């Protein structure tokens, strides 16, 4: 299986290992496989009899053909084990006849990024080994909260790698901030950026595109790579849980084999929902993909008008991992549907003017599968409360945004298909907001909000969040966009 940049075929083709090593293409594009492999109903049938780890190894093998099958099996077996995912890798919880939740937050950082970031460092490490790479990979991460911590956990003390994380200083929750500030490991750096997530992401992208920085790093035996969802190594493990959830729904009798389901995904950078689209393209029986946004509803507008316009106010919400105005992985969808040239034109317009517009025909192709809705803050709080009251099921604000979108979708369409809502974070990661949504008052201390939430609801705090206030803070430094490159060089070349 070979890979190409979304923007031009000039440097094609490259292998999966090379794509994962580089993270982003030299022309600024993202890597995509040159064909999408097929998944038949018969194969799905077989996967239904297997463990999550075996399902993962099989599906990864379809895309990562240059990795030995044995290695994939071993790595997936170790990563998706009950030691790392005590609640199961990706359990499906059925709350009524129609509504199902896919819980992706049983990993070490209590958010769905673990699903990919526990395996991705191993994929990168395998690629370095098998391509005879001697340099150190420096992983640069811009995070709106969850990616940073999950990447730090995945990469800490992984040989031949260093990891540096930038997060927006006021754009993450107190728990998220503390999770990152207390990160252990000898190859890690964490910095607060005075700016929002898009500033952090643009800063990282600019460093990737800066030849002078690359050369200076190379002189020190370092090259840049990425753990953001622009890296193909992040996306392919995310396909797995859609297939796995489908299998589990067949197994528990929620659906018949081959029956279509709708999937609703709380969306920021468009990585998670794009993985669902890939699963559908491969052959998984998915009807509609519901793209759920918070008040940063650039995607809702895009999916209804065909105009992507990031020139708008940025809102800080209680679902910070979706406070994003540039959804990077949308580029991959454009490429898959409309090819290199059209994608490059749209991305140029986005960079120069902050917007681009699709034609009517292009939009209608996208609308065959995707529909977008957004949920504002008030409705997010209401849905957290109602879901608890109605089902005794506690959800975090990101998941609530998705339930809000699904609610509007069902009203509009009256569909009969079963619905899978992707639950992307433990409610305890956002305990203050969840508590306030349920009981109408915000706990004074955000760090003990979890204990209060647990007492009131009789639900359990996930182990990785239970002792957070007791850990040692290691990272308190702040910087601004103008000094990011300097900080990267200092960390990369220092000892
Ligand atoms: C990252 C994240 C999202 C958004 O996922 P994308 O792949 O960026 O669309 C949603 N919810 C949570 C909790 C997240 O951490």
């Amino acid at each position: 299986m070979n890979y190409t940049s979304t923007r031009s075929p000039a440097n094609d083709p490259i292998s999966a290992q090379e794509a994962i090593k580089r993270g982003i293409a030299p022309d600024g594009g993202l890597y995509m496989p040159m064909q999408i492999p097929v998944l038949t109903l018969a194969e799905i049938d077989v996967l239904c009899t297997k463990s999550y780890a075996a399902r993962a190894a099989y599906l990864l093998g379809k895309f990562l053909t240059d990795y030995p099958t044995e290695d994939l099996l071993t790595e997936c077996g170790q990563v998706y084990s009950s030691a790392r995912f005590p609640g199961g890798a990706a359990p499906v919880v059925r709350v009524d006849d129609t509504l199902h939740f896919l819980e992706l937050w049983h990993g070490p950082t209590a958010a769905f990024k673990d699903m990919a970031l526990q395996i991705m460092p191993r994929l990168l490490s395998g690629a370095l080994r098998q391509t005879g790479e001697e340099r150190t990979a420096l992983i640069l991460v811009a995070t709106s909260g969850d990616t940073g911590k999950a990447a730090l956990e995945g990469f800490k003390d992984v040989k031949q790698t260093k990891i540096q994380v930038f997060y927006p200083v006021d754009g993450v929750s107190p728990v998220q901030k503390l999770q990152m500030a207390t990160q252990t490991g000898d190859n890690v750096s964490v910095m607060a950026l005075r700016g929002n997530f898009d500033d952090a992401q643009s800063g990282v992208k600019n460093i990737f595109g800066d030849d002078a920085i690359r050369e200076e790093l190379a002189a020190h035996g370092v090259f840049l790579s990425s753990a953001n969802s622009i890296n193909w190594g992040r996306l392919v493990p995310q396909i797995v849980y859609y297939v796995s959830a489908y299998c589990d729904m067949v197994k528990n009798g929620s659906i018949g084999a081959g029956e279509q389901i709708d999937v609703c995904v709380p969306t920021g950078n468009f990585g998670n929902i794009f993985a669902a689209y890939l699963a559908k393209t491969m052959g998984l029986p998915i009807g509609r993909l519901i793209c759920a946004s918070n008040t940063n509803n650039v995607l809702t507008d895009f999916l209804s008008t065909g105009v992507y316009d990031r020139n708008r106010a940025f809102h800080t919400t209680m679902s910070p991992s979706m406070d994003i105005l540039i959804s990077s992985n949308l580029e991959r969808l454009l490429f898959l549907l409309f090819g290199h040239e059209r994608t490059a034109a749209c991305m140029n317009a986005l960079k120069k003017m902050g917007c681009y517009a699709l034609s009517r025909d292009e939009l209608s192709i996208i609308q065959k599968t995707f529909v977008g809705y957004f949920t504002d803050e008030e409705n997010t709080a209401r849905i957290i409360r109602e879901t608890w009251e109605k089902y005794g099921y506690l959800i975090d604000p990101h998941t609530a945004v998705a339930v809000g979108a699904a609610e509007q979708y069902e009203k509009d369409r009256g569909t009969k298909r079963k619905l899978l809502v992707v639950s992307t974070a433990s409610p305890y990661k956002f305990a203050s907001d969840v508590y306030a949504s349920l009981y109408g008052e915000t706990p004074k201390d955000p760090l003990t909000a979890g204990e209060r939430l647990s007492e009131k609801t009789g639900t359990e705090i996930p182990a990785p969040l239970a002792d957070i206030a007791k850990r040692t803070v290691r990272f308190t430094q702040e910087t601004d966009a103008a000094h990011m490159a300097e900080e990267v060089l200092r960390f990369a070349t220092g000892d």
Side-chain angles (χ1 to χ4, degrees):
M1 173 77 70
N2 285 317
Y3 287 77
T4 177
S5 163
T6 46
R7 297 195 191 173
S8 113
N11 301 301
D12 290 350
I14 64 165
S15 67
Q17 291 183 349
E18 198 58 43
I20 288 172
K21 247 168 82 175
R22 291 189 198 170
I24 191 165
D27 60 7
L30 311 184
Y31 285 114
M32 276 293 287
M34 289 170 90
Q35 320 88 39
I36 303 302
V38 170
L39 183 68
T40 64
L41 288 178
E43 284 174 286
I44 295 172
D45 241 20
V46 175
L47 288 178
C48 287
T49 65
K50 307 240 155 127
S51 67
Y52 190 88
R55 291 170 185 169
Y58 184 80
L59 293 163
L60 292 185
K62 282 191 177 268
F63 287 96
L64 311 179
T65 49
D66 49 348
Y67 285 81
T69 309
E70 278 309 301
D71 290 6
L72 290 177
L73 264 172
T74 312
E75 306 279 26
C76 289
Q78 288 168 358
V79 162
Y80 299 111
S81 62
S82 57
R84 284 167 194 246
F85 291 86
V92 175
V93 174
R94 174 184 182 167
V95 297
D96 69 17
D97 276 354
T98 307
L99 184 58
H100 300 68
F101 288 92
L102 172 56
E103 293 183 350
L104 300 178
W105 42 261
H106 293 282
T109 74
F112 97 94
K113 305 294 194 293
D114 289 329
M115 299 303 299
L117 279 165
Q118 283 293 302
I119 186 92
M120 190 249 182
R122 289 158 176 253
L123 297 176
L124 178 63
S125 179
L128 296 179
R129 206 168 52 239
Q130 282 165 49
T131 57
E133 179 61 63
E134 282 172 357
R135 295 171 300 170
T136 296
L138 171 58
I139 314 299
L140 280 191
V141 183
T143 185
S144 53
D146 291 332
T147 300
K149 179 60 184 178
L152 288 161
E153 271 302 310
F155 277 98
K156 73 168 179 210
D157 297 328
V158 170
K159 256 199 210 144
Q160 230 183 316
T161 71
K162 285 187 164 189
I163 173 163
Q164 185 164 37
V165 171
F166 295 93
Y167 69 85
V169 66
D170 294 319
V172 302
S173 82
V175 172
Q176 288 177 314
K177 191 177 261 193
L178 196 58
Q179 277 186 305
M180 290 189 277
T182 57
Q183 179 63 45
T184 59
D186 291 335
N187 62 339
V188 305
S189 161
V190 176
M191 248 174 229
L193 184 80
R194 290 185 284 264
N196 62 34
F197 171 70
D198 288 312
D199 297 323
Q201 180 159 261
S202 305
V204 164
K205 276 194 174 169
N206 288 340
I207 292 170
F208 270 99
D210 188 324
D211 290 336
I213 297 176
R214 281 180 175 270
E215 277 167 32
E216 188 158 352
L217 290 173
H220 288 86
V222 176
F223 74 99
L224 293 174
S225 190
S226 151
N228 277 100
S229 58
I230 53 177
N231 191 310
W232 178 248
R234 272 285 298 280
L235 266 183
V236 65
Q238 297 185 2
I239 299 169
V240 177
Y241 46 72
Y242 291 106
V243 178
S244 177
Y246 188 87
C247 285
D248 290 346
M249 286 173 76
V250 171
K251 274 176 72 174
N252 75 16
S254 290
I255 51 169
E259 185 179 332
Q260 284 200 329
I261 59 169
D262 288 330
V263 178
C264 180
V265 187
T267 298
N269 230 340
F270 210 76
N272 203 356
I273 197 168
F274 183 68
Y277 182 73
L278 287 173
K280 175 177 163 68
T281 307
M282 290 170 78
L284 193 70
I286 292 176
R288 278 295 172 95
L289 290 172
I290 303 150
C291 176
S293 302
N294 63 27
T295 43
N296 294 293
N297 56 358
V298 61
L299 285 167
T300 316
D301 290 348
F302 172 71
L303 291 171
S304 72
T305 65
V307 177
Y308 193 99
D309 188 358
R310 65 149 303 183
N311 303 306
R312 60 179 71 210
F314 177 88
H315 302 284
T316 301
T317 72
M318 60 172 134
S319 46
S321 298
M322 297 156 68
D323 291 346
I324 289 177
L325 294 179
I326 301 183
S327 299
S328 303
N329 277 294
L330 189 56
E331 176 168 356
R332 287 190 155 107
L333 180 68
L334 297 181
F335 167 74
L336 210 51
L337 298 175
F338 312 126
H340 285 116
E341 225 170 289
R342 184 71 178 120
T343 306
C346 289
M347 291 305 114
N348 272 334
L350 184 63
K351 183 151 193 198
K352 285 210 189 85
M353 285 147 348
C355 68
Y356 59 86
L358 298 186
S359 69
R360 289 236 135 262
D361 289 350
E362 287 169 334
L363 176 61
S364 71
I365 290 171
I366 290 181
Q367 287 175 336
K368 279 201 187 105
T369 300
F370 290 92
V371 56
Y373 293 95
F374 77 98
T375 307
D376 64 17
E377 293 290 273
E378 201 183 319
N379 278 303
T380 303
R382 170 184 61 82
I383 284 162
I384 291 172
R385 194 180 62 244
E386 286 180 2
T387 305
W388 173 246
E389 285 168 358
K390 196 164 166 197
Y391 304 113
Y393 186 69
L394 203 57
I395 57 175
D396 96 294
H398 300 77
T399 309
V401 164
V403 173
E407 204 176 77
Q408 297 172 64
Y409 172 70
E410 299 215 326
K411 214 178 279 163
D412 281 2
R413 314 262 162 175
T415 168
K416 294 231 157 47
R417 285 190 287 261
K418 302 284 159 65
L419 180 67
L420 184 68
V421 171
V422 178
S423 177
T424 48
S426 159
Y428 283 96
K429 205 157 181 181
F430 303 92
S432 282
D433 286 324
V434 171
Y435 190 96
S437 304
L438 292 178
Y439 306 112
E441 46 152 354
T442 308
K444 274 190 208 73
D445 176 9
L447 296 178
T448 54
E451 287 160 32
R452 297 195 51 197
L453 183 63
S454 177
E455 277 163 27
K456 280 270 219 182
T457 60
T459 59
E460 237 173 87
I461 307 177
L465 298 177
D467 65 345
I468 179 119
K470 296 184 198 108
R471 286 181 227 154
T472 313
V473 171
R474 294 180 68 202
F475 301 100
T476 53
Q477 199 182 333
E478 285 184 18
T479 188
D480 43 45
H483 294 97
M484 278 173 75
E486 220 171 281
E487 294 296 349
V488 169
L489 287 170
R490 184 174 305 148
F491 176 60
T493 60
D495 39 3

